[in-house]
């Protein structure tokens, strides 16, 4: 069974940093491209970042470009998202996804002073 | 960026009746490989989105055949036949042809 478990969310102050993790299991992690999506409270869905299975292709939404960094550790079957210089607009549930099909349950990031 | 426009934004359906959701993109979603990367998701209350339809019309694993997708180019439709109580939630279309991937605003379906 495909499982994606996000962690690392929490309360962070504006301007600070946070690293989100996604532990994958139940499939060959090395064979899949991965995405991060997010959803602000009461709002719609937003794609955040993509990383190919070989890491050769990485891309970001304009809203996070230059502040967020996606990475993966294929040996650990893990996906990461480093959030730097967060703002209130970054407060959301962050979901990792295998491709576009399987999503985790998400981890909540709250940005507040 | 490609703009995805869903309609209606809310829908109230009697159990057993059909429902239809439209999704229009500002540009063609046909990719150079001949595929069209249009997806439909359902997000139930308190849950993460789950995939219903991929590449316009292919049902994802375990999705009942009451759900069907159609369309091409810039116009797409999700059809739900014989709506059941478990179908309530917010339906999103998403284009995965061009970065950035973009979503429709969501269509909230409830049961009358």
């Amino acid at each position: 069974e495909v499982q994606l478990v996000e962690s690392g969310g929490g309360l962070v102050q504006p301007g600070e940093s946070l690293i989100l993790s996604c532990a994958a299991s139940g499939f060959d992690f090395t064979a899949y491209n991965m995405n991060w999506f997010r959803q602000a409270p009461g709002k719609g869905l937003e794609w955040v970042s993509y990383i190919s299975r070989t890491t050769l292709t990485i891309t970001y939404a304009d809203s996070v470009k230059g502040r967020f960094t996606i990475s993966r550790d294929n040996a650990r079957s893990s996906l990461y998202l480093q959030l730097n210089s967060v703002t209130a607009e970054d407060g959301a549930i962050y979901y990792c996804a295998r491709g576009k099909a399987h999503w985790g349950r998400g981890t909540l990031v709250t940005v507040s002073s | 960026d490609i703009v995805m426009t869903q309609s209606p934004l809310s829908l109230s359906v009697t159990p057993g009746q059909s429902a239809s959701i439209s999704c229009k993109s500002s540009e063609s979603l046909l990719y150079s490989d001949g595929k069209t990367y249009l997806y439909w998701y359902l997000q139930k209350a308190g849950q993460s989105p789950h995939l219903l339809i991929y590449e316009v019309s292919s049902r994802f694993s375990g999705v009942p055949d009451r759900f069907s997708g159609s369309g091409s180019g810039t116009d797409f439709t999700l059809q739900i036949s014989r709506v059941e109580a478990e179908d309530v939630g917010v339906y999103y279309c998403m284009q995965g042809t061009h970065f950035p991937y973009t979503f429709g605003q969501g269509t909230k379906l409830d049961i009358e």
Side-chain angles (χ1 to χ4, degrees), chain A residues 35 37 39 43-47 50 57 59-62 95 98 100-106, chain B residues 1 37 39 41 43 47-51 60 92 94-97 99-105:
Chain A
N35 288 285
F37 296 89
Q39 185 173 36
K43 302 296 184 183
L45 298 169
E46 180 186 15
W47 169 79
Y50 163 95
T57 301
T59 186
Y60 300 96
D62 284 348
Y95 299 100
R98 189 189 85 171
K100 305 172 187 79
H102 290 276
W103 295 44
R105 294 191 175 198
Chain B
D1 297 0
Y37 294 97
Y39 302 81
Y41 297 89
Q43 186 175 31
Q47 296 184 16
S48 56
H50 67 267
L51 182 65
F60 190 56
Y92 294 94
M94 186 195 83
Q95 69 83 16
T97 297
F99 286 114
Y101 299 155
T102 47
F103 290 88
Q105 315 96 302

Side-chain angles (χ1 to χ4, degrees), chain B residues 3-55:
Chain B
V3 177
M4 305 295 288
T5 303
Q6 285 182 232
S7 63
L9 298 185
S10 67
L11 201 50
S12 189
V13 183
T14 301
Q17 297 297 309
S18 295
S20 179
I21 301 171
S22 169
C23 177
K24 297 182 187 295
S25 59
S26 60
E27 296 176 31
S28 174
L29 300 185
L30 178 63
Y31 191 53
S32 54
D33 63 2
K35 296 183 179 180
T36 299
Y37 294 97
L38 186 282
Y39 302 81
W40 288 99
Y41 297 89
L42 167 59
Q43 186 175 31
K44 298 183 179 182
Q47 296 184 16
S48 56
H50 67 267
L51 182 65
L52 298 172
I53 301 288
Y54 64 96
E55 294 172 21

Side-chain angles (χ1 to χ4, degrees), chain B residues 35-111:
Chain B
K35 296 183 179 180
T36 299
Y37 294 97
L38 186 282
Y39 302 81
W40 288 99
Y41 297 89
L42 167 59
Q43 186 175 31
K44 298 183 179 182
Q47 296 184 16
S48 56
H50 67 267
L51 182 65
L52 298 172
I53 301 288
Y54 64 96
E55 294 172 21
V56 180
S57 59
S58 295
R59 263 187 306 276
F60 190 56
S61 174
V63 175
D65 60 8
R66 302 183 292 101
F67 292 89
S68 62
S70 63
S72 63
T74 61
D75 286 358
F76 305 94
T77 301
L78 176 70
Q79 190 86 20
I80 312 169
S81 61
R82 306 182 306 279
V83 169
E84 299 182 2
E86 65 178 22
D87 300 334
V88 299
V90 181
Y91 291 79
Y92 294 94
C93 62
M94 186 195 83
Q95 69 83 16
T97 297
H98 305 286
F99 286 114
Y101 299 155
T102 47
F103 290 88
Q105 315 96 302
T107 296
K108 185 175 182 180
L109 185 146
D110 60 35
I111 300 296

Side-chain angles (χ1 to χ4, degrees), chain A residues 36-113:
Chain A
W36 284 100
F37 296 89
R38 69 183 180 182
Q39 185 173 36
K43 302 296 184 183
L45 298 169
E46 180 186 15
W47 169 79
V48 174
S49 184
Y50 163 95
I51 185 168
S52 65
R53 53 193 175 89
T54 61
T55 73
L56 282 179
T57 301
I58 287 176
T59 186
Y60 300 96
D62 284 348
S63 57
V64 307
K65 199 174 296 182
R67 299 186 301 117
F68 289 12
T69 302
I70 191 171
S71 62
R72 63 190 295 162
D73 184 340
N74 283 346
R76 295 177 182 268
S77 296
S78 292
L79 178 72
Y80 304 99
L81 186 68
Q82 176 156 358
L83 288 61
N84 293 332
S85 305
V86 298
T87 70
E89 287 68 41
D90 296 320
I93 298 173
Y94 285 75
Y95 299 100
C96 74
R98 189 189 85 171
K100 305 172 187 79
H102 290 276
W103 295 44
R105 294 191 175 198
T107 187
L108 177 64
V109 174
T110 302
V111 181
S112 175
S113 54

